[in-house]
Amino acid sequence: MTDERKTGGTGLFLYGIVPSDVEPTPDAEGVGSPPGEVTAIRQGELALLVSEVGLEEPIGRPADLTAYQRLLDSTAAIAPVLPVRFGTVVTGEDAVDDLLDAHHDRFAGALAELADHVQYTVQGRFDEEEFLSGLLAQNPPAAALADQVRGRPEVECRDERIRLGEMIAQAVELRREAENRDLIDAVGRYATANAARPPSHELDAVNVAFLVATDDEDAFIGAVEDFADRRRELIRMRLLGPLAPYDFVSAHQLVE
């Protein structure tokens, strides 16, 4: 699925594919400034949530991404949704009709599998001071390097600082892998699927997406809270959700 924007005129920004009986709420806001009105284009069992945008209007501002995610996440709370890749714009309803017609059965099947499921994402970041103190207590070579560079100008101990930095980075990576595994072991039984996500920060401790049945949400959230409580001194945790299933299935994955 590609961006089909051209100069001049207006087009349709695509958000997500939903069952045909889903109606955008009157206060739903799309991308753009001012925000576009969200409507649904229907075909068979499917509908595609769209809003009108100027084809020369820049799309991709943080506010646009927020509007895109807010619409999809609020939709996922009440109905299954297949996100369309952020920034996809087509020139009119004919392009939407062609997309839904060409892949109708595949989209409908994916929506059926997502029924009564939402995504939750568990993220956590190491407390730097706590992590380093634990590392130096358990790793004599790293502790020795830390002693060598402590209080000295960087120019005098550049090589030692580089080696220490490499040791810390390796330790973070290994601990991150272990924490992701432990998280999945602790809460995975309450999820239909899970997907480890790449770190977004050098001190990321966990970053895993879970596809959770709505009947299991309370048990899942409770298990995450227990996991976070056991690591509260070392890791600052947060739970994001319910979200659209960005990490599990999307419209462009089904057509590429």
Side-chain angles (χ1 to χ4, degrees):
M1 189 175 298
T2 59
D3 187 326
E4 299 180 13
R5 300 173 70 186
K6 300 177 181 178
T7 59
T10 61
L12 295 174
F13 186 101
L14 310 186
Y15 297 91
I17 297 169
V18 294
S20 61
D21 59 353
V22 172
E23 290 280 357
T25 60
D27 60 347
E29 293 186 341
V31 302
S33 181
E37 178 185 359
V38 179
T39 60
I41 298 175
R42 307 179 198 283
Q43 184 178 116
E45 302 173 43
L46 307 174
L48 209 161
L49 301 177
V50 305
S51 68
E52 190 173 275
V53 293
L55 290 175
E56 293 184 338
E57 181 179 352
I59 298 296
R61 303 168 305 157
D64 293 326
L65 180 59
T66 297
Y68 164 85
Q69 293 175 328
R70 182 185 297 118
L71 177 64
L72 289 178
D73 294 344
S74 62
T75 301
I78 59 173
V81 57
L82 300 176
V84 174
R85 180 186 285 137
F86 175 71
T88 301
V89 177
V90 298
T91 53
E93 291 194 19
D94 287 346
V96 174
D97 290 337
D98 290 344
L99 172 66
L100 296 180
D101 180 63
H103 307 284
H104 183 280
D105 292 346
R106 187 174 296 180
F107 290 156
L111 286 173
E113 292 181 3
L114 289 172
D116 300 319
H117 283 77
V118 291
Q119 175 174 318
Y120 281 89
T121 301
V122 183
Q123 297 178 338
R125 186 164 294 175
F126 290 117
D127 179 277
E128 184 173 12
E129 183 177 342
E130 191 72 21
F131 183 88
L132 289 178
S133 64
L135 171 64
L136 298 182
Q138 300 171 17
N139 189 319
L145 281 172
D147 287 339
Q148 292 176 37
V149 304
R150 187 174 294 114
R152 295 174 60 194
E154 184 173 348
V155 67
E156 293 182 5
C157 54
R158 182 173 181 274
D159 291 343
E160 290 87 348
R161 288 180 181 273
I162 290 174
R163 291 201 300 274
L164 179 59
E166 290 172 344
M167 294 176 72
I168 292 172
Q170 183 180 31
V172 169
E173 182 177 356
L174 291 173
R175 184 62 182 269
R176 178 188 300 128
E177 293 174 356
E179 291 294 344
N180 278 339
R181 289 195 302 270
D182 288 348
L183 172 64
I184 291 170
D185 288 344
V187 309
R189 63 185 179 276
Y190 303 111
T192 302
N194 63 75
R197 310 172 80 230
S200 60
H201 186 275
E202 61 185 7
L203 286 175
D204 273 3
V206 293
N207 195 356
V208 183
F210 296 88
L211 189 65
V212 180
T214 52
D215 287 345
D216 295 327
E217 283 183 88
D218 289 344
F220 173 81
I221 292 171
V224 172
E225 291 174 344
D226 289 344
F227 181 88
D229 187 60
R230 294 196 299 271
R231 285 159 171 77
R232 64 183 181 276
E233 300 298 328
L234 178 62
I235 302 175
R236 299 186 299 275
M237 306 273 291
R238 65 174 182 162
L239 177 64
L240 306 177
L243 308 171
Y246 305 104
D247 287 273
F248 297 98
V249 64
S250 59
H252 73 269
Q253 292 173 326
L254 296 173
V255 302
E256 291 179 344

